[in-house]
Amino acid sequence: MPHMPSRHLADMVMVPTNPVVRRIRARDLRDALALGWRDFLASPTQLLFLGVIYPLVGLVAGRAAYGGDLLPLFYPLVAGLAFVGPLAAVGLYELSRRRERGQPVSWLNTLDVFRSPAIWSIAAMGLMMLTLFVLWLGAAQIVYDRTLGTLHPASAGDFVRLMLETPEGWRMILLGNLVGLAFAIVALALSVVSFPMMLDRQVDWIIAMQTSIRAVMANPRSMALWGAIVVAALVVGCLPAFVGLAVVMPVLGHATWHLYRRTVG
């Protein structure tokens, strides 16, 4: 059994098998975003550590997509960033957790995650989210093959023209977004509070995942609104060549921590 640093064990909270899930409203989402913005401004150095790396990943993915056979998967690749975002933001949850407890905060504290006793549960949950991401890309490829793929677009311009001006293209848009919505609902239910909960409390990934699902079921409207906020923020962040994600990603990461604190008792 690996050695668990005593200070991390002491910081973690023992919880029952079924943690209490609270009802939340739109004002809780607003407050979580405001606190996320506050945390981001208070510790701007993490921008260099996580906020820049995340957009670079997006830029690489976009470059690969436009450079070859991955063109039809460009949009699914960008949309799928929301699936892996909760895992990428684990270090940000740690910063918000420390600020909440009045502890010193610097970007180096993001590395404390790797010394947490929850690291293996976080890794297991992260693997599940990455698997979901891969399945989403596979589903998107199938949708493309069954619709626009039969027309064999020769270039990016031809792809866009066929997508917007042909029945096959509109079928791809409609079906692709419906499939994407189904994957997004699953991703939200599995991860909306599970990653910050594992970091904060002595629970395994199964209990954290179950609690996250219960949180969504107890707050369907609020969680649907939260999902829409996340998607809208990521879209805005992607528009200026992904550079906006350098702000959007950290703010959403910090806000997710505060959303978790309001949702799970």
Side-chain angles (χ1 to χ4, degrees):
M1 179 177 178
H3 173 67
M4 302 296 187
S6 58
R7 68 184 183 88
H8 283 281
L9 286 173
D11 282 345
M12 296 184 76
V13 180
M14 292 295 293
V15 295
T17 303
N18 293 310
V20 175
V21 170
R22 302 189 186 101
R23 296 294 299 274
I24 59 172
R25 301 184 183 278
R27 65 172 176 268
D28 294 299
L29 308 185
R30 181 192 62 213
D31 292 344
L33 287 168
L35 290 171
W37 177 249
R38 181 205 66 182
D39 287 354
F40 172 70
L41 293 180
S43 305
T45 50
Q46 75 259 25
L47 176 69
L48 299 176
F49 188 74
L50 290 176
V52 172
I53 293 176
Y54 194 82
L56 286 177
V57 171
L59 286 170
V60 171
R63 178 67 178 174
Y66 273 114
D69 294 337
L70 291 179
L71 173 62
L73 293 181
F74 175 69
Y75 172 76
L77 280 167
V78 173
L81 293 178
F83 297 172
V84 296
L87 174 61
V90 169
L92 298 170
Y93 308 149
E94 174 65 15
L95 297 185
S96 289
R97 187 180 77 93
R98 291 180 63 87
R99 276 185 52 80
E100 187 178 89
R101 298 185 178 199
Q103 298 172 331
V105 175
S106 79
W107 69 268
L108 289 172
N109 293 124
T110 59
L111 302 177
D112 291 347
V113 172
F114 295 101
R115 298 194 296 269
S116 169
I119 186 61
W120 296 113
S121 290
I122 291 172
M125 192 70 203
L127 180 60
M128 176 176 290
M129 298 308 296
L130 289 172
T131 301
L132 189 65
F133 176 60
V134 172
L135 290 175
W136 154 238
L137 292 181
Q141 183 66 59
I142 292 173
V143 169
Y144 170 76
D145 290 342
R146 299 294 177 86
T147 55
L148 201 58
T150 59
L151 301 181
H152 307 292
S155 64
D158 192 33
F159 174 78
V160 173
R161 182 187 63 79
L162 291 174
M163 182 175 62
L164 298 178
E165 298 179 3
T166 65
E168 292 85 355
W170 282 106
R171 280 200 297 271
M172 184 191 73
I173 292 173
L174 177 61
L175 185 57
N177 280 287
L178 287 175
V179 173
L181 177 61
F183 272 91
I185 291 172
V186 173
L188 179 70
L190 294 178
S191 67
V192 67
V193 300
S194 57
F195 283 100
M197 183 177 177
M198 287 184 289
L199 190 64
D200 185 47
R201 306 181 179 215
Q202 197 169 342
V203 297
D204 62 26
W205 67 277
I206 295 177
I207 293 177
M209 180 181 63
Q210 292 172 342
T211 304
S212 187
I213 293 172
R214 289 196 295 117
V216 171
M217 293 179 66
N219 301 281
R221 292 185 180 180
S222 296
M223 290 301 182
L225 178 57
W226 178 252
I229 290 171
V230 170
V231 170
L234 290 175
V235 169
V236 171
C238 288
L239 290 179
F242 296 91
V243 175
L245 289 177
V247 174
V248 169
M249 178 61 188
V251 172
L252 287 178
H254 290 302
T256 298
W257 167 264
H258 294 290
L259 179 66
Y260 148 72
R261 294 291 285 154
R262 279 161 172 69
T263 307
V264 181

PDB file of all heavy atoms in Angstrom, residues 243-255:
ATOM      1  N   VAL A 243      -7.408  31.145 -27.752  1.00  0.00           N
ATOM      2  CA  VAL A 243      -6.691  31.917 -26.740  1.00  0.00           C
ATOM      3  C   VAL A 243      -7.588  32.237 -25.543  1.00  0.00           C
ATOM      4  O   VAL A 243      -7.131  32.287 -24.403  1.00  0.00           O
ATOM      5  CB  VAL A 243      -6.133  33.217 -27.366  1.00  0.00           C
ATOM      6  CG1 VAL A 243      -5.491  34.097 -26.305  1.00  0.00           C
ATOM      7  CG2 VAL A 243      -5.121  32.877 -28.453  1.00  0.00           C
ATOM      8  N   GLY A 244      -8.866  32.435 -25.785  1.00  0.00           N
ATOM      9  CA  GLY A 244      -9.785  32.759 -24.697  1.00  0.00           C
ATOM     10  C   GLY A 244      -9.892  31.682 -23.646  1.00  0.00           C
ATOM     11  O   GLY A 244     -10.285  31.952 -22.505  1.00  0.00           O
ATOM     12  N   LEU A 245      -9.527  30.452 -24.003  1.00  0.00           N
ATOM     13  CA  LEU A 245      -9.569  29.367 -23.021  1.00  0.00           C
ATOM     14  C   LEU A 245      -8.579  29.595 -21.885  1.00  0.00           C
ATOM     15  O   LEU A 245      -8.717  28.999 -20.814  1.00  0.00           O
ATOM     16  CB  LEU A 245      -9.275  28.028 -23.703  1.00  0.00           C
ATOM     17  CG  LEU A 245     -10.367  27.481 -24.624  1.00  0.00           C
ATOM     18  CD1 LEU A 245      -9.899  26.189 -25.278  1.00  0.00           C
ATOM     19  CD2 LEU A 245     -11.662  27.244 -23.874  1.00  0.00           C
ATOM     20  N   ALA A 246      -7.580  30.439 -22.114  1.00  0.00           N
ATOM     21  CA  ALA A 246      -6.609  30.734 -21.072  1.00  0.00           C
ATOM     22  C   ALA A 246      -7.279  31.413 -19.884  1.00  0.00           C
ATOM     23  O   ALA A 246      -6.762  31.357 -18.766  1.00  0.00           O
ATOM     24  CB  ALA A 246      -5.497  31.633 -21.623  1.00  0.00           C
ATOM     25  N   VAL A 247      -8.417  32.061 -20.102  1.00  0.00           N
ATOM     26  CA  VAL A 247      -9.197  32.650 -19.022  1.00  0.00           C
ATOM     27  C   VAL A 247     -10.390  31.770 -18.678  1.00  0.00           C
ATOM     28  O   VAL A 247     -10.683  31.522 -17.511  1.00  0.00           O
ATOM     29  CB  VAL A 247      -9.678  34.070 -19.406  1.00  0.00           C
ATOM     30  CG1 VAL A 247     -10.623  34.627 -18.343  1.00  0.00           C
ATOM     31  CG2 VAL A 247      -8.487  34.993 -19.593  1.00  0.00           C
ATOM     32  N   VAL A 248     -11.081  31.287 -19.694  1.00  0.00           N
ATOM     33  CA  VAL A 248     -12.304  30.511 -19.475  1.00  0.00           C
ATOM     34  C   VAL A 248     -12.046  29.253 -18.665  1.00  0.00           C
ATOM     35  O   VAL A 248     -12.780  28.935 -17.721  1.00  0.00           O
ATOM     36  CB  VAL A 248     -12.952  30.149 -20.828  1.00  0.00           C
ATOM     37  CG1 VAL A 248     -14.068  29.123 -20.642  1.00  0.00           C
ATOM     38  CG2 VAL A 248     -13.498  31.404 -21.498  1.00  0.00           C
ATOM     39  N   MET A 249     -10.991  28.527 -19.022  1.00  0.00           N
ATOM     40  CA  MET A 249     -10.717  27.256 -18.348  1.00  0.00           C
ATOM     41  C   MET A 249     -10.452  27.417 -16.852  1.00  0.00           C
ATOM     42  O   MET A 249     -11.065  26.736 -16.023  1.00  0.00           O
ATOM     43  CB  MET A 249      -9.558  26.555 -19.049  1.00  0.00           C
ATOM     44  CG  MET A 249      -9.135  25.245 -18.415  1.00  0.00           C
ATOM     45  SD  MET A 249     -10.475  24.046 -18.430  1.00  0.00           S
ATOM     46  CE  MET A 249      -9.725  22.761 -17.434  1.00  0.00           C
ATOM     47  N   PRO A 250      -9.549  28.317 -16.434  1.00  0.00           N
ATOM     48  CA  PRO A 250      -9.336  28.484 -14.994  1.00  0.00           C
ATOM     49  C   PRO A 250     -10.578  28.964 -14.251  1.00  0.00           C
ATOM     50  O   PRO A 250     -10.863  28.495 -13.144  1.00  0.00           O
ATOM     51  CB  PRO A 250      -8.207  29.518 -14.921  1.00  0.00           C
ATOM     52  CG  PRO A 250      -7.500  29.406 -16.213  1.00  0.00           C
ATOM     53  CD  PRO A 250      -8.563  29.087 -17.222  1.00  0.00           C
ATOM     54  N   VAL A 251     -11.322  29.899 -14.832  1.00  0.00           N
ATOM     55  CA  VAL A 251     -12.520  30.411 -14.153  1.00  0.00           C
ATOM     56  C   VAL A 251     -13.545  29.293 -13.962  1.00  0.00           C
ATOM     57  O   VAL A 251     -14.123  29.134 -12.884  1.00  0.00           O
ATOM     58  CB  VAL A 251     -13.131  31.588 -14.939  1.00  0.00           C
ATOM     59  CG1 VAL A 251     -14.485  31.978 -14.343  1.00  0.00           C
ATOM     60  CG2 VAL A 251     -12.191  32.788 -14.916  1.00  0.00           C
ATOM     61  N   LEU A 252     -13.771  28.498 -15.014  1.00  0.00           N
ATOM     62  CA  LEU A 252     -14.713  27.377 -14.892  1.00  0.00           C
ATOM     63  C   LEU A 252     -14.212  26.347 -13.886  1.00  0.00           C
ATOM     64  O   LEU A 252     -15.008  25.760 -13.140  1.00  0.00           O
ATOM     65  CB  LEU A 252     -14.927  26.716 -16.249  1.00  0.00           C
ATOM     66  CG  LEU A 252     -15.764  27.488 -17.273  1.00  0.00           C
ATOM     67  CD1 LEU A 252     -15.828  26.709 -18.586  1.00  0.00           C
ATOM     68  CD2 LEU A 252     -17.169  27.758 -16.747  1.00  0.00           C
ATOM     69  N   GLY A 253     -12.906  26.104 -13.864  1.00  0.00           N
ATOM     70  CA  GLY A 253     -12.355  25.155 -12.908  1.00  0.00           C
ATOM     71  C   GLY A 253     -12.598  25.587 -11.478  1.00  0.00           C
ATOM     72  O   GLY A 253     -13.101  24.812 -10.652  1.00  0.00           O
ATOM     73  N   HIS A 254     -12.283  26.841 -11.163  1.00  0.00           N
ATOM     74  CA  HIS A 254     -12.522  27.353  -9.818  1.00  0.00           C
ATOM     75  C   HIS A 254     -14.015  27.361  -9.493  1.00  0.00           C
ATOM     76  O   HIS A 254     -14.429  27.020  -8.383  1.00  0.00           O
ATOM     77  CB  HIS A 254     -11.959  28.762  -9.680  1.00  0.00           C
ATOM     78  CG  HIS A 254     -10.465  28.831  -9.685  1.00  0.00           C
ATOM     79  ND1 HIS A 254      -9.684  28.148  -8.774  1.00  0.00           N
ATOM     80  CD2 HIS A 254      -9.604  29.513 -10.488  1.00  0.00           C
ATOM     81  CE1 HIS A 254      -8.406  28.415  -9.011  1.00  0.00           C
ATOM     82  NE2 HIS A 254      -8.333  29.222 -10.049  1.00  0.00           N
ATOM     83  N   ALA A 255     -14.832  27.761 -10.476  1.00  0.00           N
ATOM     84  CA  ALA A 255     -16.275  27.821 -10.251  1.00  0.00           C
ATOM     85  C   ALA A 255     -16.848  26.436  -9.976  1.00  0.00           C
ATOM     86  O   ALA A 255     -17.784  26.289  -9.169  1.00  0.00           O
ATOM     87  CB  ALA A 255     -16.963  28.447 -11.461  1.00  0.00           C
TER      88      ALA A 255
END
